[in-house]
């Protein structure tokens, strides 16, 4: 049966208009032109990144991992390139009090097999004390390598919440690229998929048609209660944590409270 948006029996309030397949395909083809232009511009930006200059740094600076202090150079694992995610950290906070955005990002970085196949290693760095970091990594079941860069200067340490790329040439190490904020989004494939859906990400800043579900502040839906409902409070935690053993709703966040 062919339907049109003018048919009051098929119009659905707060949802896209109902049309026939041919009308939908015309609208889809028009949008595809813009999408292809966006793809080409993204390719041009990637080419510009590859042409950035680089900064040499001391590859012998030590970071702390499961085997104790090791030189930063070891994080390359013999490969020529290294991508690190700098995970924000809150000292003395319980597991559910750690950053919900960084927890979600690290969750999407769990498997580096395709990076490794292209000669790129992956590591997660954070400023937490190693004993706290090790406990958190064990709780989350992370398999990617984590290291503490507490008291280590930038660009190995410094501000957290960044994706940063490094290049190795023998024993020489270079900083090549860094980004933060929404620049981290390529890691989180879930956001790209949500951008394809009619309701989007559910964030307040989105440009949504009238009548669509209202969004909340960024990261709102990255914390939930035990039933998966987005919420803030003493029994909420970053969403990936609910799949981990021991993630019980009776734990409290303690004096620091949730971090937005």
């Amino acid at each position: 049966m062919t339907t049109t948006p003018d048919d009051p029996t098929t119009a659905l309030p707060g949802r896209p208009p109902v049309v026939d397949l041919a009308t939908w395909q015309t609208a889809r083809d028009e949008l595809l032109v813009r999408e292809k232009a966006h793809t080409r511009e993204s390719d041009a930006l990637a080419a510009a990144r590859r042409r950035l200059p680089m900064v040499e740094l001391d590859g012998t600076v030590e970071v702390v991992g499961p085997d104790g202090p090791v030189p930063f150079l070891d994080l390359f694992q013999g490969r020529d390139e290294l991508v690190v995610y700098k995970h924000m950290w809150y000292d003395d906070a319980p597991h559910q009090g750690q950053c919900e955005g960084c927890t979600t990002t690290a969750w999407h970085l769990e498997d580096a097999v395709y990076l490794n196949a292209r000669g790129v290693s992956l590591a997660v760095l954070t400023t937490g004390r190693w004993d706290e970091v090790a406990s958190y990594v064990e709780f989350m079941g992370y398999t990617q390598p984590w290291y503490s860069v507490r008291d280590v200067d930038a660009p190995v340490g410094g501000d957290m919440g960044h994706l940063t790329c490094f290049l190795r040439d023998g024993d020489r190490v270079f900083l090549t690229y860094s980004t933060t904020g929404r620049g981290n989004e390529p890691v989180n494939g879930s956001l790209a998929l949500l951008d394809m859906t009619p309701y989007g990400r559910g964030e307040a800043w989105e440009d949504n048609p009238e009548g669509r579900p209202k969004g909340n502040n960024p990261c709102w839906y990255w914390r939930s209660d035990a039933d998966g409902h987005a919420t803030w409070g003493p029994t909420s935690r970053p969403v990936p944590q609910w799949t981990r053993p021991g993630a019980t709703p009776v734990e409290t966040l303690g004096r620091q409270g949730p971090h937005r």
Side-chain angles (χ1 to χ4, degrees), residues 7 9 16 20 22-23 30 42-43 51 75 79 91 132 146 161 195 202 204 209 218-219 222 224 229 235 238 243 249:
D7 184 347
T9 65
D20 59 79
T23 302
E30 291 174 354
S42 180
D43 291 342
R51 287 164 172 79
L75 276 58
R79 301 183 179 93
D91 288 343
E132 290 190 7
W146 280 62
D195 284 341
C219 292
W222 292 354
S224 77
H229 303 125
T235 58
T243 69

Side-chain angles (χ1 to χ4, degrees), residues 13-29:
R15 292 172 174 79
V18 181
V19 298
D20 59 79
L21 182 58
T23 302
W24 175 87
Q25 188 64 60
T26 297
R28 175 68 191 97
D29 290 345

Side-chain angles (χ1 to χ4, degrees), residues 57-188:
L57 58 118
D58 182 5
T60 67
V61 64
E62 290 188 335
V63 300
V64 179
D67 298 322
V70 297
F72 181 69
L73 190 64
D74 283 11
L75 276 58
F76 285 82
Q77 299 178 319
R79 301 183 179 93
D80 290 339
E81 296 180 280
L82 171 68
V83 173
V84 304
Y85 180 66
K86 296 185 174 183
H87 194 291
M88 295 179 185
W89 193 264
Y90 301 100
D91 288 343
D92 303 317
H95 299 325
Q96 67 268 33
Q98 295 302 336
C99 175
E100 59 285 327
C102 286
T103 299
T104 301
T105 298
W107 195 254
H108 283 82
L109 282 169
E110 180 61 16
D111 194 339
V113 62
Y114 282 99
L115 291 175
N116 295 164
R118 298 304 299 251
V120 180
S121 291
L122 172 71
V124 181
L125 310 181
T126 189
T127 56
R129 294 184 292 269
W130 178 249
D131 59 337
E132 290 190 7
V133 174
S135 175
Y136 184 72
V137 170
E138 180 181 10
F139 170 79
M140 291 300 294
Y142 288 134
T143 59
Q144 70 268 56
W146 280 62
Y147 296 90
S148 171
V149 292
R150 196 176 189 86
D151 300 323
V152 177
D153 293 334
V156 174
D159 292 338
M160 297 291 105
H162 292 247
L163 275 173
T164 306
C165 300
F166 299 90
L167 178 67
R168 180 179 72 92
D169 185 357
D171 291 335
R172 300 177 69 186
V173 177
F174 305 87
L175 166 71
T176 62
Y177 180 72
S178 186
T179 187
T180 189
R182 294 193 63 191
N184 293 336
E185 286 187 0
V187 170
N188 192 336

Side-chain angles (χ1 to χ4, degrees), residues 2 7 27-28 175 204 227 237 251:
T2 301
D7 184 347
R28 175 68 191 97
L175 166 71
D227 296 321
R237 62 172 66 235
E251 298 173 5

